[in-house]
């Protein structure tokens, strides 16, 4: 059974940091491209960052470049999103996904709220 379980969300003040984790099970994690998406209230889901199967290649949305870092630990079947210099507009539910060819899996999401 495929599972992606996100954790690490919460309430943080502007300028603060959070580290999201996504623990995967039920599939060969090291074969999949992993990504983080987010969806704010009333907005469409958007891609935040992606990382290739080996971790060598990464891609970021322009809105988070220089502030967010995606990484993965294939030995632990876990992908991370380090978020620094958080802004109120980063408030959203954050989801991790695993993609390989036509196969895509989603986690249940974790809420990130940036507010003073």
């Amino acid at each position: 059974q495929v599972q992606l379980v996100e954790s690490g969300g919460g309430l943080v003040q502007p300028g603060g940091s959070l580290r999201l984790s996504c623990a995967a099970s039920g599939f060969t994690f090291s074969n999949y491209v992993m990504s983080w998406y987010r969806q704010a209230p009333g907005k469409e889901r958007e891609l935040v960052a992606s990382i290739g199967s080996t971790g060598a290649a990464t891609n970021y949305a322009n809105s988070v470049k220089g502030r967010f870092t995606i990484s993965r630990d294939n030995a632990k079947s876990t992908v991370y999103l380090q978020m620094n210099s958080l802004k109120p507009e980063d408030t959203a539910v954050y989801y991790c996904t695993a993609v390989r060819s036509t196969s895509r899996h989603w986690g249940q999401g974790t809420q990130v709220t940036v507010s003073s």
Side-chain angles (χ1 to χ4, degrees):
Q1 179 183 359
V2 172
Q3 278 195 313
L4 294 171
V5 180
E6 299 98 334
S7 61
L11 173 63
V12 63
Q13 292 186 343
S17 297
L18 282 176
R19 188 194 195 204
L20 305 183
S21 300
C22 174
S25 61
F27 62 99
T28 306
F29 180 80
S30 59
N31 288 346
Y32 281 68
V33 172
M34 300 299 297
S35 300
W36 287 95
Y37 282 75
R38 67 186 181 187
Q39 187 166 21
K43 294 189 176 181
E44 292 190 354
R45 194 171 293 188
E46 64 171 347
L47 176 64
V48 175
S50 292
I51 187 166
S53 58
T54 67
T58 57
N59 182 55
Y60 297 91
N62 287 335
S63 59
V64 306
K65 278 182 182 177
R67 300 187 298 123
F68 291 10
T69 302
I70 189 170
S71 62
R72 66 190 295 161
D73 185 337
N74 285 348
K76 295 182 178 180
S77 296
T78 302
V79 62
Y80 305 96
L81 185 68
Q82 177 66 44
M83 305 186 295
N84 298 329
S85 302
L86 283 160
K87 304 175 181 180
E89 51 264 43
D90 294 318
T91 295
V93 178
Y94 284 71
Y95 301 88
C96 74
T97 73
V99 177
R100 184 187 185 206
S101 184
T102 59
S103 175
R104 180 183 287 271
H105 309 294
W106 288 88
Q108 84 289 347
T110 186
Q111 176 70 46
V112 171
T113 302
V114 185
S115 176
S116 54

